[in-house]
Amino acid sequence: MTQILNEVNGAWIGLVLAALMLLGWGGGGGAGRRRATDPSAAARGPLDDASLAILGLLLGFTFSMSLSKHDARRQMVVTDANAIGDFATCAALVKGPVGEKLMAKVREYVEYRLALSDRPPRGEREVEATLDRVQRMQDEMQGLVREAVDGGTPVTVPLVNTLNEVTSAHTSRVASLRDRLPPSVMTLLLVSAVVSIVLVGREQGAGGLRPVVSTVAFVALVSLVVWVIVDLNQPSRGLIRVSQEPMKRLLVGLGGGQ
């Protein structure tokens, strides 16, 4: 279930949910009509109201969680860009070939991070390869910083501190990207949506009612909300993406972009 929620496009999950809800509504309506209750009976019962209330709570709860995680990822981009920018400022004060190499490595680092946002890694193997390359680039910057320190650069303390901030920001950003909604919560939401519409269909069938337009509209709205929730929960795919504007501006400031 975790792989499906993380790898399958949110639009497909929304469409499948809509189909299951419509099938459940039809099945529930047939079961209600077989109860052969009085057609004048009320179409809404306590189970109907309770299930819709639970569904509404779950939709609001999961949407709030996914939106907060999206905001955290957006903030991590700003933190990452600020950390790299501070390090670049210190690196620019390092004189000689070491300083030039360090600035070139910083620009390469930012360019690679931006390239990852345009083409995010897919699959655990590709993710691990990407993390290994980022680690190698950080090790190279650390080696250049060591050369600068050994050469007696006057900005030793801020240079080392800002490099530590770069590595820490990267770790925090990776953690935020991997912070997803618990699969159990998403599973409960999907099951609740189907069960709720089955109960609604059963009550409508028992009361001799078939409000097709309103029911289809309700199913569409629920499916769209689930689509957005799943889309927010998939930072490496989908329509809702974290803006990379801070990193792009940083690269322009470093002379590596337009």
Side-chain angles (χ1 to χ4, degrees):
M1 189 64 182
T2 301
Q3 185 175 2
I4 294 176
L5 295 176
N6 292 339
E7 299 298 333
V8 178
N9 193 286
W12 288 110
I13 294 178
L15 288 174
V16 171
L17 176 62
L20 291 176
M21 290 181 70
L22 290 175
L23 289 174
W25 177 62
R33 287 191 296 272
R34 286 194 294 270
R35 290 168 57 189
T37 57
D38 185 2
S40 63
R44 294 174 60 85
L47 289 179
D48 187 7
D49 293 332
S51 64
L52 291 177
I54 292 174
L55 176 60
L57 287 173
L58 286 173
L59 285 172
F61 176 66
T62 52
F63 183 84
S64 177
M65 285 184 63
S66 59
L67 188 60
S68 64
K69 294 178 185 299
H70 177 78
D71 288 339
R73 298 182 191 110
R74 180 180 55 80
Q75 184 59 44
M76 283 299 101
V77 175
V78 177
T79 302
D80 198 17
N82 288 338
I84 299 173
D86 292 341
F87 178 62
T89 300
C90 294
L93 299 177
V94 178
K95 298 180 180 180
V98 175
E100 295 176 358
K101 292 179 182 179
L102 192 54
M103 285 299 297
K105 183 57 63 177
V106 172
R107 283 192 294 270
E108 180 186 351
Y109 184 73
V110 177
E111 289 172 350
Y112 183 66
R113 298 294 292 276
L114 278 173
L116 290 178
S117 65
D118 294 333
R119 186 186 177 279
R122 302 287 174 83
E124 191 62 27
R125 181 177 300 178
E126 190 173 348
V127 170
E128 290 300 327
T130 299
L131 293 177
D132 288 342
R133 181 172 178 183
V134 171
Q135 184 61 54
R136 288 196 300 271
M137 297 176 75
Q138 291 178 352
D139 292 341
E140 291 172 359
M141 288 189 291
Q142 182 178 349
L144 291 171
V145 168
R146 185 182 298 109
E147 289 185 30
V149 172
D150 293 340
T153 178
V155 292
T156 295
V157 174
L159 187 64
V160 173
N161 289 340
T162 52
L163 177 60
N164 290 335
E165 291 176 2
V166 169
T167 57
S168 298
H170 168 68
T171 302
S172 299
R173 188 173 175 184
V174 171
S176 68
L177 288 173
R178 290 185 164 181
D179 185 19
R180 311 289 182 88
L181 287 174
S184 57
V185 173
M186 286 300 303
T187 302
L188 180 60
L189 173 61
L190 300 177
V191 171
S192 177
V194 176
V195 171
S196 297
I197 202 66
V198 169
L199 293 176
V200 169
R202 188 184 67 171
E203 294 297 331
Q204 291 176 349
L209 301 176
R210 298 296 289 173
V212 177
V213 175
S214 59
T215 302
V216 171
F218 172 75
V219 170
L221 286 175
V222 172
S223 301
L224 285 173
V225 173
V226 171
W227 178 8
V228 173
I229 291 172
V230 175
D231 208 54
L232 287 170
N233 196 47
Q234 297 178 341
S236 60
R237 62 165 66 241
L239 299 177
I240 304 175
R241 306 291 291 274
V242 176
S243 174
Q244 301 296 315
E245 183 66 19
M247 296 292 283
K248 293 179 180 178
R249 290 186 177 275
L250 173 62
L251 183 59
V252 172
L254 295 174
Q258 299 295 329

